[in-house]
Amino acid sequence: MPDTAPDALTPARPERDAPTWPEETAARYRAAGHWRGETFAGWLAERAGAHPARTAVTDGDRHWTYAELHTRATELAAGLAARGITRGDRVVVQLPNVAEFFEVVFALFRLGALPVFALPAHRETEIHYFCEFTEAVAYVIPDRHAGYDHRALATKVRDALPTLREVFVVGDPGEHTALTEVPLPAAELTAPEPAPSDLAFLQLSGGSTGVPKLIPRTHDDYIYSLRGSNELCGVTADSVYLVVLPAAHNFPLSSPGSLGVLYAGGRVVLCPQPDPETAFPIIEREKVTITGIVPPLALVWTEAGPTTPHDLSSLDVLLVGGAKFSESAARRVAPALGCTLQQVFGMAEGLVNYTRLDDDPETIVTTQGRPISADDEIRIVDDNDEDVPEGENGHLLTRGPYTIRGYWRAPEHNARSFTADGFYRTGDIVRRTPTGHLVVEGRAKDQINRGGEKIAPEEIENIILGHPAVHDVSLVAVPDEYLGERTLAYVILRAGAEPLKSMAIKKFVREKGLAAYKVPDLVEFVTAFPQTGIGKISKKDQRSIATTPQN
Ligand code: OOB
């Protein structure tokens, strides 16, 4: 990308690819001490100097000290630079919960190259899109994970995209390059460091459109959210954070997550599977003090807590978020697991709300918390962007020191998803209590929240429309006791088409190479869709008539 490779002295200009904060707003955030001019690689080097022998990352029986993590990241950065990876380049990172995740992302942070955070569940359709849209120069994968061989997918994507020059593999590389072959002596690293206002990475949006949008986060803004989260979640150098959810997701990464805990000088422990049988022995062995999980998992953990033979007494704080946590389930957490519940309502675009550790117990179980920062601006508005009366439900709009002003290379979406004065339209319906806590009451965006995993109906509908027998399709959420929501595809077959079984639709989606959680849970064949007054499909009616067919 010659035209995006800046020289050593020019800061990379994020506004070229996405709108950023107006200069006077940025100056205000700096003056307030929110943006302190730190970078990820800068603070890691500083921590490695201050407490080199302290453990930073534990993965099974591997323990990396801060010195080791820093050395590994620096040597990897040198090796990546020697292969031509440079500031501003995009690198799709699709790693499960392994220590190398941190080595890779800190190496990229040091170079100013941007990790694009894919999830382990993503398959060919998503990965091809991320690599193509971001013009990624490299793709980092495990050899196999959860029974799936990522190397064959990488070969296909690399063969299809000339911009993708390198595939790095954690484990057996097959025809690609082993990550262990890349590092060079740290002395060879001469690449300039990125500026604090540069982009640090691209995070994925949950999405309500045909393809996921990419969220550009800067060192300045993201590090501020870590510092703010640490303060509200009680994170210190003594904290031990268990990464239960996929490491690359914004929640386990930054709320306060692995990066928050590393920032504080604490220890990050990786959990390969989220079930209590895997997680509880690790909590006991590693004396985990804090972790974050989604509501369906919280139900399973609270169920298993009272009878587990494992000692969970080290656990102080359990964060639950990503989807609405019901009050009744929330009430069960503290008694079953012997820790403080902290609800978190956040979004990869920025704004994160937490209940405070010292909130009264009723507030903790009945609200989704309040914003991190006094400079998080919250508006709750009606359909015409007018403020609703205090305490009533409305659309949540937000603007602040760690909320983006626009998606990456998406001007049309930005015109819809942001107000003219820079507020992000979250798509969530909330109300505010007299104490300033937010309660999530619903959703206006066309998105399904399947236990914290977000699904954009349009993306799946477009795929199902590709089936030769399908005339039309509409994907809606149906309530589910465990996941909160499951997906139901209403399908109209073409006139004269042979009847199909639900399985045929599910198989068709699966074979397109999509994350498994996006395959419709249920399929129902109908002859017409309910319509709104102006003749659009009424998803509201479809949701309310859903019968829960058994398939
Ligand atoms: C987190 O981030 P995303 O980007 O996967 O999803 C954001 C959306 C929110 O707009 C909201 O619709 C929903 O997920 N959500 C919740 C919620 N937390 C997130 N809805 C109801 N109650 C909650 N507690 O999901 C995320 C990012 C950082 C921290 C935590 C979650």
Side-chain angles (χ1 to χ4, degrees), residues 249-251 255 322-324 344-348 428 440 445 454:
H249 187 274
N250 199 58
F251 176 14
S255 301
K324 178 79 180 250
V344 49
F345 161 41
M347 51 207 73
D428 294 311
V440 181
K445 54 191 167 190
K454 315 302 182 320

Side-chain angles (χ1 to χ4, degrees), residues 267-307:
R267 183 156 67 100
V268 169
V269 178
L270 292 151
C271 190
Q273 298 291 334
D275 52 275
E277 293 70 30
T278 310
F280 287 5
I282 301 180
I283 293 175
E284 176 176 52
R285 189 177 71 233
E286 303 297 342
K287 304 228 172 340
V288 168
T289 63
I290 177 167
T291 185
I293 56 179
V294 288
L297 201 52
L299 291 177
V300 177
W301 281 31
T302 31
E303 205 123 287
T307 55

Side-chain angles (χ1 to χ4, degrees), residues 27-40:
R28 186 155 56 81
Y29 294 154
R30 287 192 188 97
H34 301 331
W35 296 358
R36 297 193 181 164
E38 296 172 292
T39 61
F40 282 97

Side-chain angles (χ1 to χ4, degrees), residues 318 320 325-327 330-331 333-334 339-344 354-369 437-438:
L318 181 70
V320 178
F325 197 31
S326 75
E327 185 187 322
R331 283 191 195 283
V333 169
C339 58
T340 302
L341 167 67
Q342 186 165 34
Q343 293 212 42
V344 49
Y354 296 103
T355 55
R356 304 308 195 242
L357 297 176
D358 59 359
D359 276 341
D360 68 89
E362 278 308 295
T363 304
I364 291 178
V365 298
T366 57
T367 79
Q368 279 66 59
H437 289 71
L438 300 179

Side-chain angles (χ1 to χ4, degrees), residues 151-441:
R151 294 163 297 190
L153 186 160
T155 302
K156 269 176 110 171
V157 176
R158 186 209 53 203
D159 289 349
L161 297 174
T163 40
L164 188 65
R165 301 195 308 259
E166 303 262 19
V167 174
F168 301 117
V169 184
V170 173
D172 172 0
E175 63 165 296
H176 303 293
T177 307
L179 190 74
T180 49
E181 268 177 50
V182 181
L184 288 176
E188 293 186 30
L189 179 60
T190 56
E193 302 207 9
S197 57
D198 283 354
L199 297 187
F201 56 83
L202 298 174
Q203 186 57 269
L204 306 182
S205 76
S208 54
T209 47
V211 287
K213 290 164 299 213
L214 294 163
I215 297 169
R217 303 290 301 257
T218 65
H219 295 260
D220 268 334
D221 90 74
Y222 210 66
I223 293 170
Y224 172 52
S225 82
L226 301 182
R227 216 182 315 110
S229 296
N230 282 352
E231 205 182 308
L232 299 176
C233 305
V235 169
T236 68
D238 295 324
S239 296
V240 181
Y241 182 88
L242 188 67
V243 185
V244 176
L245 300 174
H249 187 274
N250 199 58
F251 176 14
L253 197 60
S254 67
S255 301
S258 54
L259 294 180
V261 169
L262 291 174
Y263 183 86
R267 183 156 67 100
V268 169
V269 178
L270 292 151
C271 190
Q273 298 291 334
D275 52 275
E277 293 70 30
T278 310
F280 287 5
I282 301 180
I283 293 175
E284 176 176 52
R285 189 177 71 233
E286 303 297 342
K287 304 228 172 340
V288 168
T289 63
I290 177 167
T291 185
I293 56 179
V294 288
L297 201 52
L299 291 177
V300 177
W301 281 31
T302 31
E303 205 123 287
T307 55
T308 181
H310 297 286
D311 177 6
L312 306 180
S313 61
S314 59
L315 193 64
D316 289 330
V317 176
L318 181 70
L319 291 126
V320 178
K324 178 79 180 250
F325 197 31
S326 75
E327 185 187 322
S328 58
R331 283 191 195 283
R332 294 204 291 269
V333 169
L337 295 167
C339 58
T340 302
L341 167 67
Q342 186 165 34
Q343 293 212 42
V344 49
F345 161 41
M347 51 207 73
E349 286 82 355
L351 181 70
V352 181
N353 304 276
Y354 296 103
T355 55
R356 304 308 195 242
L357 297 176
D358 59 359
D359 276 341
D360 68 89
E362 278 308 295
T363 304
I364 291 178
V365 298
T366 57
T367 79
Q368 279 66 59
R370 54 192 173 86
I372 292 178
S373 173
D375 281 322
D376 282 319
E377 300 172 66
I378 298 290
R379 290 189 62 203
I380 302 175
V381 302
D382 63 18
D383 290 345
N384 301 314
D385 284 358
E386 303 286 346
D387 294 325
V388 298
E390 198 54 47
E392 290 191 7
N393 288 359
H395 303 276
L396 171 64
L397 311 184
T398 186
R399 181 168 84 166
Y402 59 97
T403 297
I404 58 163
R405 292 300 183 106
Y407 292 104
W408 196 77
R409 295 189 182 172
E412 288 104 62
H413 289 312
N414 289 340
R416 279 198 296 278
S417 302
F418 294 81
T419 64
D421 56 354
F423 278 83
Y424 167 55
R425 298 182 187 278
T426 65
D428 294 311
I429 305 287
V430 303
R431 69 180 162 84
R432 188 164 36 197
T433 70
T435 53
H437 289 71
L438 300 179
V439 179
V440 181
E441 295 285 7

